[in-house]
Amino acid sequence: MNMDSALERLNSRDPCTRPKSSRVSESFKRVGILVLAVVLTLACLVAIGFLVKIYLDHHYLFCKQPLKLVPLKQVCDGQLDCLQGEDEANCPQWVPEGPPARARVSKDRSILQVLNSNTGAWSCVCHDHFTPALARATCEQMGYSSTPTFHGVEVGAEQLPPPYEVVLSNGSIQVLEPGRKCLSGLVVSLFCSSCGQSGRTPRVLGGSPAAIETWPWQVSLQYRKEHICGGSIIGPGWVLTAAHCFKNNPIIQSWRVKAGSDLLSGAATFAVEKVFLAEVTPASPKDNDIALVKLRSPVHDTDSTKPICLPYFDEELVPGTPLWVIGWGYMEEHGKLSERLQQAEVQLIDKRSCNQAAYHGDVTDRMLCAGLPQGGVDTCQGDSGGPLLYSSGHWQVVGIVSWGQGCGTPSTPGVYTSVRAYLDWIYAVRRSEL
């Protein structure tokens, strides 16, 4: 081969001619930029769509037939806006007060009393022929589904009429009259639930962080993952709270109940199946601030999840009685929620002085006042629905955080729904779901 001619051909190449690999690299760059632009555009569209969905979910309900958006203020208002009724399905249910339960237990050793439908009188029950089946039927009158326990105790003859026997008739308890004589003289002490047991004793006075093992019945009611109210476990599938928590948050599927943690974040949540509200009367619009939440699955007993006891029907608390309040509410007025559960000790305040000092008669016989005369310790926004607690060997929820003026200001204590005033309502709602 002639080397001179080869070098001449090599040197005569156009210096501007680029190799093939360079052209391929530039093609890849152009394609990559195009792909990146498409991906970023899609990501922006997804983000915008997500934000639009969040906005629509917070302001509207989507109707399938006809296809339209219904403002949330029109949801659960009693008027059908969707052809298939989605806007009025699964709404909180208003439940009027019904007839009283035919069974109740006294603060005196949990002695059972039954109502004689013929005379309208309450009587103790003779222990002689009382059976587990009778105990179960009696507890069902009060809405309990767990296995009860009972034993016989002595009772003074002056407390009530002589004890009667009861029998089962079509699944209900009936008083036998005149019945056999109660030979043992013992009456039934009945326990429908193992409740009110705290793993720790509160020792710190004033507002302070709390452990969930001290208050294992405390829950957070959350609407679209946002804490709205507190509540109390009163049974495996039941939470007691305030009715006003649901005023602007009517969609049942959007509610969750967080239990078992003293922190607002994390921990397991439970889906809500139904919400029951006490009917409000125009004469007393602040009365009946009570609600029952039925969960889709039960909350099992652990060190951090236990039920609180309902109060006894005859538990009369006197002014000055020490009580406890707990919650994640604002630490100060116009503040923000506490991430950690807080506890504080307060006192029961006389209803008359509560009205005279601050509330001008708005505090009714179905409410309680609690706080400290000098102020400084009180419930606040975010504590609504939580419990006002009393201990008499076991813990009872005697009140529900309802309303008040300010947070911890002197002479304006917190106002609570009296749970004792609504025992028959609670019993009737739970009984209807057995």
Side-chain angles (χ1 to χ4, degrees):
M1 182 177 182
N2 188 325
M3 295 297 294
D4 291 338
S5 60
L7 286 171
E8 185 180 343
R9 286 196 300 273
L10 182 63
N11 292 333
S12 65
R13 281 189 174 180
D14 185 353
C16 293
T17 303
R18 286 175 288 185
K20 183 178 179 181
S21 61
S22 177
R23 293 196 300 272
V24 171
S25 176
E26 286 197 3
S27 297
F28 272 119
K29 283 182 181 179
R30 285 196 297 270
V31 172
I33 291 171
L34 181 62
V35 170
L36 182 61
V38 170
V39 169
L40 288 175
T41 302
L42 289 174
C44 289
L45 290 174
V46 169
I48 292 170
F50 181 71
L51 292 174
V52 169
K53 183 181 184 303
I54 290 176
Y55 175 82
L56 292 177
D57 284 347
H58 278 75
H59 294 85
Y60 296 93
L61 177 75
F62 179 70
C63 284
K64 295 179 181 177
Q65 289 186 358
L67 292 174
K68 67 174 183 177
L69 294 171
V70 176
L72 283 187
K73 64 181 180 181
Q74 293 175 220
V75 175
C76 298
D77 63 352
Q79 302 293 323
L80 285 179
D81 295 294
C82 300
L83 196 62
Q84 295 183 348
E86 301 102 306
D87 59 312
E88 299 300 319
N90 300 316
C91 293
Q93 302 175 36
W94 297 94
V95 181
E97 288 194 64
R102 290 180 301 190
R104 64 190 191 185
V105 289
S106 167
K107 67 176 182 178
D108 177 17
R109 295 165 293 168
S110 200
I111 290 175
L112 172 63
Q113 298 179 12
V114 293
L115 180 65
N116 187 326
S117 55
N118 294 324
T119 65
W122 290 92
S123 301
C124 297
V125 176
C126 181
H127 182 258
D128 289 359
H129 301 98
F130 198 72
T131 65
L134 283 168
R136 205 159 34 247
T138 305
C139 287
E140 286 176 357
Q141 273 289 306
M142 294 176 277
Y144 292 98
S145 57
S146 52
T147 303
T149 59
F150 65 93
H151 59 274
V153 297
E154 294 182 356
V155 64
E158 74 284 352
Q159 293 186 1
L160 278 173
Y164 284 91
E165 279 196 272
V166 292
V167 294
L168 272 179
S169 176
N170 297 323
S172 299
I173 53 170
Q174 299 287 341
V175 176
L176 267 185
E177 196 177 16
R180 292 170 288 195
K181 187 175 181 181
C182 189
L183 297 177
S184 69
L186 300 178
V187 296
V188 174
S189 172
L190 179 66
F191 299 88
C192 295
S193 169
S194 176
C195 58
Q197 303 300 316
S198 171
R200 300 183 189 177
T201 303
R203 298 184 183 276
V204 182
L205 300 181
S208 61
I212 196 65
E213 291 81 10
T214 306
W215 317 107
W217 40 82
Q218 178 74 16
V219 300
S220 164
L221 273 72
Q222 302 183 352
Y223 193 72
R224 296 195 172 108
K225 300 182 180 180
E226 178 185 353
H227 171 84
I228 302 295
C229 282
S232 308
I233 301 169
I234 60 168
W238 290 97
V239 169
L240 182 69
T241 188
H244 77 260
C245 300
F246 302 92
K247 184 177 180 181
N248 298 315
N249 310 295
I251 300 175
I252 301 291
Q253 298 94 320
S254 296
W255 281 97
R256 304 283 295 186
V257 171
K258 186 187 74 63
S261 174
D262 42 52
L263 300 176
L264 271 183
S265 59
T269 60
F270 295 82
V272 172
E273 181 179 335
K274 295 180 181 179
V275 174
F276 301 90
L277 311 177
E279 276 193 342
V280 176
T281 57
S284 302
K286 289 185 177 179
D287 262 341
N288 296 2
D289 191 15
I290 183 172
L292 277 173
V293 175
K294 185 181 182 184
L295 305 177
R296 285 188 192 169
S297 56
V299 180
H300 298 293
D301 279 15
T302 67
D303 288 343
S304 56
T305 52
K306 294 180 186 293
I308 181 71
C309 298
L310 295 171
Y312 295 110
F313 78 90
D314 55 352
E315 188 80 79
E316 291 275 2
L317 301 181
V318 299
T321 299
L323 305 168
W324 285 81
V325 289
I326 49 178
W328 290 276
Y330 289 10
M331 303 290 286
E332 58 186 6
E333 198 168 357
H334 309 301
K336 62 179 183 178
L337 293 175
S338 168
E339 173 62 19
R340 179 80 182 271
L341 185 65
Q342 300 290 308
Q343 61 187 18
E345 190 175 29
V346 293
Q347 297 174 6
L348 187 67
I349 294 175
D350 174 65
K351 212 173 277 118
R352 182 177 176 183
S353 62
C354 185
N355 267 323
Q356 287 178 342
Y359 297 124
H360 315 294
D362 285 344
V363 179
T364 70
D365 290 337
R366 310 187 90 181
M367 302 175 189
L368 302 171
C369 286
L372 294 179
Q374 71 274 20
V377 177
D378 194 6
T379 50
C380 202
Q381 188 173 345
D383 289 320
S384 288
L388 179 68
L389 298 162
Y390 168 67
S391 178
S392 61
H394 59 271
W395 289 95
Q396 305 170 39
V397 52
V398 296
I400 300 168
V401 180
S402 181
W403 60 281
Q405 292 179 7
C407 298
T409 52
S411 303
T412 56
V415 183
Y416 302 78
T417 303
S418 172
V419 178
R420 189 166 71 96
Y422 293 92
L423 284 176
D424 282 326
W425 182 85
I426 295 170
Y427 295 159
V429 170
R430 295 196 306 184
R431 192 166 59 239
S432 70
E433 293 294 308
L434 288 177

